Amino acid sequence: MPTEAVIVDVVRTPSGRGKPGGELSDIHPADLLAGVLAEVVHRNGLDPALLDDVIGGCVTQSGEQAGNITRTAVLSAGFPESVPGVTVDRQCGSSQQAAAFAAQGVIAGAYDIIIACGVESMSRAPMGSNLGAASLGGELLHSRYPDGLVNQGVAAELIAQRWGIARDELDAFAAESHRRAAEAAASGAFEHELVPVPTPDSGSVEADETIRPGTTVEKLASLAPSFRTDALAARFPQLDWRITPGNSSPLTDGASAALIMSGEAAKRLGLKPRARFHSFAVAGSDPLYMLTGILPATRKLLDRSGVRLDEIQAYEVNEAFAPVPLLWQREFGVDASRLNPRGGAIALGHALGSSGTRLLGTLLNELEATGGRFGLQTMCEGGGTANATLIERL
């Protein structure tokens, strides 16, 4: 039999507002990540010396997040110096890719016990600060796309316009994300995945700062578009500019970690696997409409897995912007109640490098709470790529 990659546990920090004054903004990102690394081994009674590797996701790898922050966090967590660490960047899907690399390494026999994780402190390493004044690509890329590419917010605008997703539909989806997240938080649904974060003033952050329980469509309708400029309005006269801070994910600080190992290792250590990795897919898409890669990635995943969408009990489609999950729902015709049932990144935050393993934990806990068998996770990514992962609860 082929080696099976199983998920033993997934933990995360609360989501902090990714700006100065946010509840996690005084904490170094290496310390944020170290906290979840230490907790995931501690609560499973694992000797960290047994880890073959730690693979972490991080997008803005500059400043405090430079120099292979995963290795820095491994050392900060007090793990033995023999434990390696590596940091990957697949934009918003970085830690989902880290989990895929980890699981694939287990399946291939290269790893036995491993942690996949991710971190982003958007308050301390602002998005895009690693670029400075540099441009993405050189003459070859510019000759292929002479009109130039756009940022993700404009891509979200183009998607909303092309697929006819109206502003009131976007705002209604965003309000529902906050309602579901607030309901889940109030019921204690996030307690098993959350790790309190000590703060410098001897306090601790124990709940998501980004959830706004009182969000209404009426309040969201008053917000101005985020990405319109005169130059972009001239280039894209068809757009009526529907993307606002309210129907986008907020800038966020956070970290998350998943303990992954072979089924044999879990049995040897007396640990109970909670789920197994079933299938993986990654796909590229038009970099102008860069957030649409979730469509080919999902189709590829379903083809490879042999599992039908109606056999999957929960779908986590990252809410980078409201048009993304709405587009996915529209294309696949899924039951809206199964899509981000505990709310998504619009309410729970999108700490870029951490979001992949954050979604994994939320998905796993939803399957366990409902008795579902299969869960699908997919994430749009800057530059026009996407990851998709299928897990099976055990």
Side-chain angles (χ1 to χ4, degrees), residues 85-364:
V86 65
T87 307
V88 300
D89 173 10
R90 201 189 280 277
Q91 297 291 282
C92 299
S94 294
S95 58
Q96 183 171 353
Q97 185 62 67
F101 283 156
Q104 289 159 358
V106 169
I107 293 166
Y111 295 130
D112 200 28
I113 304 170
I114 186 168
I115 292 175
C117 58
V119 66
E120 206 79 35
S121 178
M122 300 179 78
S123 61
R124 299 171 71 102
M127 185 166 56
S129 59
N130 52 335
L131 283 173
S135 62
L136 287 173
E139 292 183 8
L140 294 176
L141 185 68
H142 294 165
S143 66
R144 182 171 183 177
Y145 301 100
D147 293 332
L149 299 176
V150 295
N151 65 44
Q152 292 189 33
V154 179
E157 290 281 6
L158 291 168
I159 290 169
Q161 188 275 333
R162 179 171 171 180
W163 273 270
I165 306 173
R167 167 71 185 269
D168 58 355
E169 188 177 0
L170 299 174
D171 289 346
F173 184 90
E176 177 66 6
S177 181
H178 283 282
R179 189 197 68 77
R180 291 184 182 189
E183 183 179 89
S187 72
F190 295 131
E191 288 181 1
H192 189 63
E193 65 198 58
L194 281 172
V195 176
V197 179
T199 57
D201 61 1
S202 300
S204 68
V205 180
E206 300 182 2
D208 295 305
E209 186 185 11
T210 50
I211 301 173
R212 299 193 302 274
T215 300
T216 64
V217 175
E218 291 73 24
K219 290 179 180 178
L220 295 178
S222 67
L223 298 176
S226 300
F227 300 100
R228 186 193 181 282
T229 66
D230 289 344
L232 287 168
R235 180 179 172 185
F236 301 108
Q238 76 273 29
L239 296 181
D240 56 9
W241 303 97
R242 309 168 197 187
I243 306 301
T244 72
N247 54 43
S248 308
S249 57
L251 303 177
T252 311
D253 298 339
S256 54
L259 180 58
I260 298 166
M261 60 185 68
S262 66
E264 294 84 352
K267 183 178 181 180
R268 183 174 71 246
L269 295 169
L271 294 170
K272 181 176 172 53
R274 297 171 63 191
R276 74 178 183 97
F277 287 94
H278 188 288
S279 304
F280 314 89
V282 64
S285 62
D286 182 343
L288 185 64
Y289 290 80
M290 68 179 81
L291 311 177
T292 61
I294 55 173
L295 304 181
T298 299
R299 294 188 183 104
K300 187 183 290 188
L301 181 77
L302 296 173
D303 288 344
R304 287 180 172 173
S305 70
V307 176
R308 302 188 313 273
L309 267 175
D310 61 6
E311 296 178 289
I312 300 172
Q313 285 71 46
Y315 318 109
E316 284 287 334
V317 180
N318 191 45
E319 296 174 5
F321 302 91
V324 178
L326 284 169
L327 163 68
W328 190 90
Q329 180 187 356
R330 185 170 295 186
E331 286 289 311
F332 291 106
V334 301
D335 181 350
S337 67
R338 298 187 187 186
L339 174 62
N340 301 350
R342 299 184 175 200
I346 289 172
L348 293 169
H350 182 18
L352 307 175
S354 171
S355 287
T357 35
R358 199 281 295 167
L359 263 66
L360 180 63
T362 302
L363 177 61
L364 176 55

Side-chain angles (χ1 to χ4, degrees), residues 19-83:
K19 57 182 67 176
E23 290 185 342
L24 300 179
S25 63
D26 289 335
I27 302 168
H28 194 288
D31 293 343
L32 275 181
L33 184 53
V36 292
L37 294 178
E39 177 63 19
V40 80
V41 298
H42 169 73
R43 76 182 200 174
N44 290 284
L46 180 73
D47 179 357
L50 297 175
L51 291 167
D52 294 304
D53 205 352
V54 178
I55 305 178
C58 184
V59 174
T60 306
Q61 295 184 36
S62 63
E64 293 180 340
Q65 297 184 162
N68 189 5
I69 190 172
T70 307
R71 171 62 174 170
T72 306
V74 164
L75 297 174
S76 301
F79 288 4
E81 294 173 350
S82 59
V83 178

